[in-house]
């Protein structure tokens, strides 16, 4: 008889549990700091940053030789951002540090905490997107190239036909599930060869079975080929502006999420204290290590009625 080692073998009590590798979970790469304007809050300047903007004055026609009697009054408006603190803390017992198999436990814990803090900062940033006052789309709306074009058009003139404000440093931020249907409509996909059924419904069943090509009109082109090869991220720009995808946009109970088209000056990040790691070993806790990472910051919008446009659309989980 051959003696074997293992949980159900003869030598079932002689095995050691050897962990080959310790891995961390993956997190979405941060986007919002890249598309925002950073404003530091310097020491000794108080708890709040202030941005003042002056209102317009109006020029009027006057008769030759006549005095100007309609003097314009100057006015201003103020936008503020007040940082607040965010922290994450982990306490590791001394016995865990002594007996644990992961000899890099503190280092791995620091990485996990740093990712948690940056995720919180990113989620706070994406939560600002629904704060832009102009809006295209609605609950249950399927994202489409036309919706994005409409939002871009409104943002490019500050959403004002009477007093246009040209914004040219625009960014488009969407959820990957928004972009899925946009890409599918650009290819375009359909459930019938003639394309009579438009790709995408707000239940996650997207009806993508065939590629549509109606006599060379409205069919696949070079961008369609790139989308098929590289996926929705092949659409790096639209209407002349960069597209950023982040799955950290919150999806509500109705499967809708808010993206936005906005100028960089419209989304502001006030940075008082960058992420800072502190470690403390308390003898009364028998060698335990208290690890705390914290930061102080604020996200705020500048002129949200003019500097951007919310895009509200369905972001159901794809099922077909």
């Amino acid at each position: 008889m051959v003696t074997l080692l293992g949980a159900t073998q003869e030598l079932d009590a002689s095995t050691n549990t050897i962990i080959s590798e310790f891995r961390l979970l993956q997190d979405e790469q941060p986007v919002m700091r890249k598309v925002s304007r950073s404003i530091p809050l310097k020491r000794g300047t108080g708890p709040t940053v202030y941005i003042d903007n002056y209102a317009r004055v109006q020029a009027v026609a006057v008769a030759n030789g006549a005095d100007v009697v309609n003097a314009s009054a100057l006015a201003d408006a103020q936008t503020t951002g007040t940082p607040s603190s965010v922290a994450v803390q982990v306490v590791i017992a001394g016995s865990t540090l002594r007996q644990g198999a992961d000899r890099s436990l503190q280092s791995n814990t620091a990485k996990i905490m740093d990712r948690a803090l940056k995720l919180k900062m990113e989620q706070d940033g994406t939560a600002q997107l629904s704060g832009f006052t102009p809006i295209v789309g609605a609950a249950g709306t399927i994202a489409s190239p036309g919706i994005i074009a409409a939002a871009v058009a409104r943002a490019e003139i500050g959403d004002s036909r009477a007093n246009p404000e040209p914004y040219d440093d625009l960014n488009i931020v969407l959820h990957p599930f928004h972009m899925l249907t946009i890409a599918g409509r650009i290819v375009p996909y359909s459930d019938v060869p003639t394309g009579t059924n438009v790709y995408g419904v707000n239940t996650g069943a997207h009806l993508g079975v065939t590629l549509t090509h109606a006599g060379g009109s409205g069919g696949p082109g070079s961008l369609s080929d790139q989308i098929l090869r590289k996926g929705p991220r092949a659409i790096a720009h639209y209407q002349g502006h960069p597209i950023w995808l982040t799955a950290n946009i919150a999806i509500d109970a109705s499967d809708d999420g808010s993206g936005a088209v906005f100028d960089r000056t419209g989304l502001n990040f006030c940075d008082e204290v960058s992420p800072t790691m502190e470690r403390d070993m308390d003898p009364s806790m028998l060698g335990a290590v208290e690890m705390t990472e914290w930061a102080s910051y604020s996200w705020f919008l500048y002129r949200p009625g003019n500097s951007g446009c919310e895009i509200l659309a369905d972001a159901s989980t794809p099922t077909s």
Side-chain angles (χ1 to χ4, degrees), residues 3-71:
T3 301
L4 299 176
L5 177 70
T8 61
Q9 305 301 329
E10 291 78 9
L11 298 180
D12 58 355
S14 300
T15 60
N16 287 330
T17 299
I18 305 299
I19 299 174
S20 301
E21 187 178 5
F22 294 91
R23 294 184 177 181
L24 309 184
L25 298 179
Q26 297 296 319
D27 284 314
E28 183 87 344
Q29 290 298 309
V31 165
M32 301 309 294
R33 291 290 302 274
K34 299 177 183 177
V35 298
S36 63
R37 182 183 177 213
S38 292
I39 303 177
L41 180 61
K42 299 178 181 179
R43 286 180 176 270
T45 59
T48 302
V49 295
Y50 298 91
I51 300 175
D52 275 20
N53 67 273
Y54 290 109
R56 290 182 173 84
V57 294
Q58 187 174 9
V60 297
V62 295
N64 290 334
D67 289 335
V68 178
V69 296
N70 296 320

Side-chain angles (χ1 to χ4, degrees), residues 78-301:
Q78 193 170 82
T79 301
T80 63
T82 303
S84 59
S85 297
V86 174
V88 55
Q89 185 179 81
V90 175
V91 180
I92 306 176
S95 58
T96 300
L97 294 172
R98 295 191 305 271
Q99 301 165 8
D102 184 2
R103 306 318 301 159
S104 300
L105 180 58
Q106 287 193 61
S107 174
N108 284 333
T109 301
K111 293 177 183 178
I112 294 169
M113 295 170 63
D114 188 61
R115 291 182 182 185
L117 191 62
K118 289 179 179 177
L119 176 61
K120 169 64 174 171
M121 296 169 70
E122 180 78 355
Q123 291 172 335
D124 289 345
T126 60
Q128 296 291 317
L129 300 180
S130 61
F132 291 106
T133 306
I135 183 172
V136 297
T141 297
I142 304 301
S144 68
I147 289 176
I148 309 303
V152 168
R154 294 179 68 171
E156 284 181 334
I157 64 168
D159 198 45
S160 175
R161 293 180 294 177
N163 294 294
E165 295 182 33
Y167 288 102
D168 56 9
D169 190 12
L170 298 180
N171 289 282
I172 305 170
V173 177
L174 300 170
H175 192 280
F177 291 169
H178 290 152
M179 186 53 67
L180 172 68
T181 52
I182 293 171
R185 291 183 168 193
I186 290 175
V187 170
Y189 300 125
S190 176
D191 67 337
V192 290
T194 58
T196 55
N197 284 22
V198 177
Y199 176 79
V201 294
N202 63 357
T203 61
H206 292 304
L207 306 178
V209 179
T210 66
L211 297 181
T212 301
H213 195 294
S217 175
S222 59
L223 179 56
S224 302
D225 294 339
Q226 290 297 315
I227 293 172
L228 292 174
R229 292 188 181 97
K230 300 179 180 179
R233 292 184 185 274
I235 312 172
H237 289 77
Y238 191 69
Q239 299 285 309
H241 306 292
I243 293 178
W244 303 82
L245 301 183
T246 173
N248 286 321
I249 291 176
I251 307 302
D252 65 21
S254 300
D255 292 324
D256 298 302
S258 291
V261 177
F262 56 93
D263 190 79
R264 187 179 300 272
T265 61
L267 178 62
N268 295 272
F269 180 79
C270 177
D271 184 10
E272 182 192 15
V273 179
S274 298
T276 302
M277 174 66 72
E278 306 283 356
R279 305 182 192 220
D280 183 36
M281 182 175 288
D282 188 347
S284 67
M285 296 179 66
L286 307 180
V289 173
E290 181 181 271
M291 304 176 65
T292 305
E293 186 169 8
W294 66 286
S296 179
Y297 63 87
S298 172
W299 291 96
F300 65 96
L301 300 180

Side-chain angles (χ1 to χ4, degrees), residues 295-318:
S296 179
Y297 63 87
S298 172
W299 291 96
F300 65 96
L301 300 180
Y302 169 75
R303 292 179 57 73
N306 305 91
S307 62
C309 181
E310 178 187 357
I311 300 171
L312 179 58
D314 176 76
S316 297
T317 300

